[in-house]
Amino acid sequence: MEHNLGFKCLYSPSLEILSGGLLPTRPPQKRGTADKFGNCIGMPDAVEYRLSCELEGHADDVRGICVCGNEAIATSSRDRTIRVWSLDPSDKPKYSASKILLGHSSFVGPLAWISPNDEFPEGGIVSGGMDTLVLVWDLKSGEKVQTLKGHQMQVTGVALDNSDIVSSSVDCTLRRWRNGQATEFWEAHKAAVQAVIKLPSGELVSGSSDTTLKLWKGRTCLHTFVGHTDTVRGLAVMPGLGILSASHDGSVKLWAISGQVLLDMVGHTSIVYSVDSHVSGLVVSGSEDSFAKIWKDGVCVQSIEHPGCVWDAKFLENGDIVTACSDGVVRIWTVHSDRIAEPLELESYVSKLSQYKCSRKRVGGLKLEDLPGLEALQIPGTSDGQTKVVREGDNGVAYAWNLIDQKWDKIGEVVDGPDDSMKRPVLDGIEYDYVFDVDIGDGEPIRKLPYNRSEFILQNSGQKGLQSVTSFRDPYLAKGMLFFDVAQFDGILKKISEFNNTLLSDLEKKNLSVTEVEISRLGAIVKILKDTSHYHCSTFADADIALLLKLLKSWPPAMIFPVIDILRMIILHPDGATTLLNHVEDENDILMDMIKKVTSIPALPANLLTSIRAVANLFKNSFFHNWLQKHRSEILDAFSTCYSSSNKNVQLSYSTLILNYSVLLIEKKDEEGQSQVLSAALEIAEEENLEVDSKFRALVAIGSLMLEGLVKRIALDFDVGNIAKVAKASKVAKIAEVGADIELLTK
């Protein structure tokens, strides 16, 4: 069976069923390499994995796998669940769903198995999620028994160290938990920590977006492993030999504990997300390139193609392999003839592969569905000879801009392009993202057409440069930020008066009430705020601000929201904001006190709504920017659950706060802050039951942060491409537009 660029080597389910014959032989190559197409060389006869069964149930990407002894498998998913699959007693090779664990509020990633003990007689599971939580589950009851809070960003790895749990996070730290409490944490890397494992000898190993691995004895780094050229995404122990690492650079490496690279396994054509080993000496890796690859002594001996990204791959004790795929299906592969799937199941899988590959048809390296249509030719070019590739039916056709005639001249059909290697092609000594072969017809030779991604983005956005992609500029923004400047002042005063009367009638709380004179003073404050035409010259007395702050401090939490609403509008008044600043910069920071008060449990929607809007309005005044940057982590942590509020107005206000922070931190070039805001924005974008404008503002924040570039790699680690894909498919035009632009930025 021919691949689009050459023969696929070795066994794959589709290959064996469709071809039924031997593959052409290839000359032997050196250990750790593949052929020029990224395919595997020379498979031992004993290793021939075939589909055993498919486990369906997850509603979205399956992200992680945990082998639970000999009887069960646990899997995590973007659908926020963990599913436990147990061996079917009536049909031993098959698994069936036995439990669904619900508790994470966003997608679930790493898993670890707690073997049965006195506390967990049927074993337990440790899980980490994008919601920053580490959860511990009792498999006997299926209930969550511990919630471990402390990480500031997505949890990327969990490992057991005797009875302790060790977790890694995008917040750059490792944390140790004992009996449900954090006992220590430390900054393990200067960039996101993507994985952590424990070695049989007791040390910990971490892998990071800084491209390194680190070996830890307690909190002491014994050695830093340097060799990868991109994010280290997955780690595993290779019994008796050392440490395996999977990287975004497309390679898998085997390291000695000393830091020496023993084997370099090259063959994947995209990000490698996971790696695992078996006592037999086999290694399996899972990749964005849709393949699980099996390696023996550094040589790829088999490639198993999937209908989507392979997020994780693990060996069972019997040598079978479990894979987690972006199509939401868990698959088990076996070398044992008595466990191979029925012919109809194998044929069904071949069909799925075929459909998947058709959906990903490419035109010279670009996805056909990503190419703009003929309508792109209605946009004039900017320079003579500028090129565009557009979709015409099932083909990509190249055009060049004719500056004199002011029209696009057809060059010809794109007939070939770059292979799947990660090296950029070179033409006339210059590197390009793509160099296409274009058939210009009339018996003329094939023409080479250089092409860069930025030109592709230009076509889709209709802009003259990346910096002005319009989807990242909300029409209601001022300097990219949004403010809440409308208030129902009469209703606010009425509510304050009503609450004051309630206090007067309560003997125990009567001392908290305000006098008639103070009520009149509040009316005078509102009168100033209503008169927007005189904002340039009207002023507030210190006593005015002091009165509001007194009510914020002394009134019961259930009564302060109308007071916060007045404060929200004072922030937009030039003199009011300046006067308030004096009460923020002193030792008693009234704004942080307010945030802590309104977010303490139980948090009331009215308090959350008015306080988030008040904080969002602070962004209008540059003299509050340092305060906002200084307290960024505390503020975002305090309001972090608001994205999933049942109150749509709270959702929208929180999304606006995130958007404003993204603009400020881009301006400040604050990479750590941008990372936290990106994490929050992605969490909003993941939420299903979200008001349209809330989702839009979160997507604008994501696009803006990626466009800036400092945290683009973290966005890719978070699988922002899937979020963009979902947004692009939206029926709401502005959501689809910004989704398409984010998708382009991922490329």
Side-chain angles (χ1 to χ4, degrees), residues 150-186:
H151 282 298
Q152 304 300 305
M153 299 179 72
Q154 177 190 355
V155 178
T156 54
V158 289
L160 297 179
D161 187 2
N162 298 320
S163 60
D164 290 355
I165 296 168
V166 178
S167 56
S168 63
S169 169
V170 175
D171 65 12
C172 306
T173 69
L174 292 176
R175 286 179 180 263
R176 181 179 294 276
W177 312 84
R178 185 173 299 156
N179 300 322
Q181 301 295 321
T183 60
E184 62 178 354
F185 71 93
W186 65 97

Side-chain angles (χ1 to χ4, degrees), residues 161 174 176 184 186 198-206 214-223:
D161 187 2
L174 292 176
R176 181 179 294 276
E184 62 178 354
W186 65 97
K198 183 196 174 187
L199 300 181
S201 52
E203 298 91 347
L204 297 174
V205 180
S206 58
K214 288 182 182 288
L215 179 68
W216 301 92
K217 187 74 171 179
R219 295 174 56 169
T220 302
C221 179
L222 302 178
H223 190 75

